[in-house]
Amino acid sequence: MPAGVRTLGDRSAFPRDELGDAADLVARRLLGTLLVRSEEDGSDTVVRIVETEAYHQTDPASHSFRGRTARTEVMFGPPGHTYVYFTYGMHWCVNVSCEPEGIGAAVLLRAGIALTNTALVRQRRGERARERELLAGPARLTSGLGLDGSWNGVDLCAPAAPLRLESDGLVVADAGVAQGPRVGVRQAADVPWRFRLADVPEVSRYSRHPKAPPRP
DNA sequence: CGCCGGATGTCCT
DNA sequence: GGACATCCGGCGC
């Protein structure tokens, strides 16, 4: 198992300027960083991000592709804010806005590993959930952290935010990163904008959209 | 492990 | 009316 991935060092706020770049760069950069939720009892639920996907404004698979709407407003705002959307009638997914203000782009957080409050995460996900799948998938991640639409627009770089990005100094080398096509998208199905930690089993399994065109 | 169908709200054509 | 950045349980191998 990759050293350090399941342990936790001293935490500090994640710098906003590292989120202002192109979405694929930010998606790569967010691997190994921490998503922290302040719980009502004062504790922190800390999750190591192990899988991400980039969505650019000129990307037909992106919600921002058809322009600025009420739903996608946060994607066009300043970097480092949550874009939380509802899908398939029952699931929430959380993104981190990136690229400069005025450009609609974000990184979908697809999977993580809980480093603290694991019992609480398991309780939210259901006791039947398998260990490897606790936060392996974008809707499982929000479910385990108790996130929904009310968390849209949160500034993840504000030190006192109830949901925030942090770093504990873990450095993910390029050799430890696997890159490939995104999961379940019909448009731009072969663009390699999904990033994950290689050799970490707690990620979603790749599935191609059933109606995506055949691979070139 | 893989494939399949159902659940179920919002957005876009 | 159809698609959708999904998950789960059931069934077959």
Side-chain angles (χ1 to χ4, degrees), chain A residues 7-15 18 29-36 46-49 115 156 164-172:
Chain A
T7 59
L8 185 59
D10 293 336
R11 291 146 47 196
S12 59
F14 194 85
E18 292 195 17
R29 196 166 291 160
L30 285 177
L31 288 181
T33 67
L34 305 171
L35 182 65
V36 181
V46 181
V47 170
R48 177 95 60 202
I49 297 169
L115 302 180
L156 291 167
R164 57 199 182 275
L165 284 171
E166 296 182 353
S167 170
D168 69 342
L170 177 75
V171 175
V172 175

Side-chain angles (χ1 to χ4, degrees), chain A residues 10-121:
Chain A
D10 293 336
R11 291 146 47 196
S12 59
F14 194 85
R16 188 186 310 278
D17 57 11
E18 292 195 17
L19 303 175
D21 290 325
D24 53 334
L25 295 181
V26 174
R28 162 67 178 85
R29 196 166 291 160
L30 285 177
L31 288 181
T33 67
L34 305 171
L35 182 65
V36 181
R37 187 207 155 151
S38 300
E39 302 291 350
E40 297 197 359
D41 66 0
S43 68
D44 285 342
T45 301
V46 181
V47 170
R48 177 95 60 202
I49 297 169
V50 298
E51 182 183 1
T52 59
E53 280 178 356
Y55 288 86
H56 295 251
Q57 183 170 350
T58 57
D59 165 15
S62 174
H63 290 173
S64 62
F65 180 68
R66 288 174 179 78
R68 200 165 181 154
T69 67
R71 180 176 67 144
T72 61
E73 183 60 28
V74 185
M75 291 184 76
F76 290 83
H81 293 249
T82 55
Y83 165 48
V84 182
Y85 71 91
F86 188 65
T87 192
Y88 290 103
M90 66 189 87
H91 298 302
W92 297 97
C93 297
V94 63
N95 296 252
V96 179
S97 68
C98 56
E99 307 205 8
E101 186 161 6
I103 299 178
V107 172
L108 173 66
L109 304 182
R110 287 200 56 92
I113 299 173
L115 302 180
T116 69
N117 283 352
T118 53
L120 174 60
V121 170

Side-chain angles (χ1 to χ4, degrees), chain A residues 132-178:
Chain A
R132 243 180 42 187
E133 298 177 342
L134 266 194
L135 299 176
R140 290 167 176 161
L141 182 65
T142 57
S143 168
L145 280 171
L147 306 179
D148 59 22
S150 68
W151 294 79
N152 189 52
V154 172
D155 182 357
L156 291 167
C157 297
L163 185 69
R164 57 199 182 275
L165 284 171
E166 296 182 353
S167 170
D168 69 342
L170 177 75
V171 175
V172 175
D174 286 342
V177 175

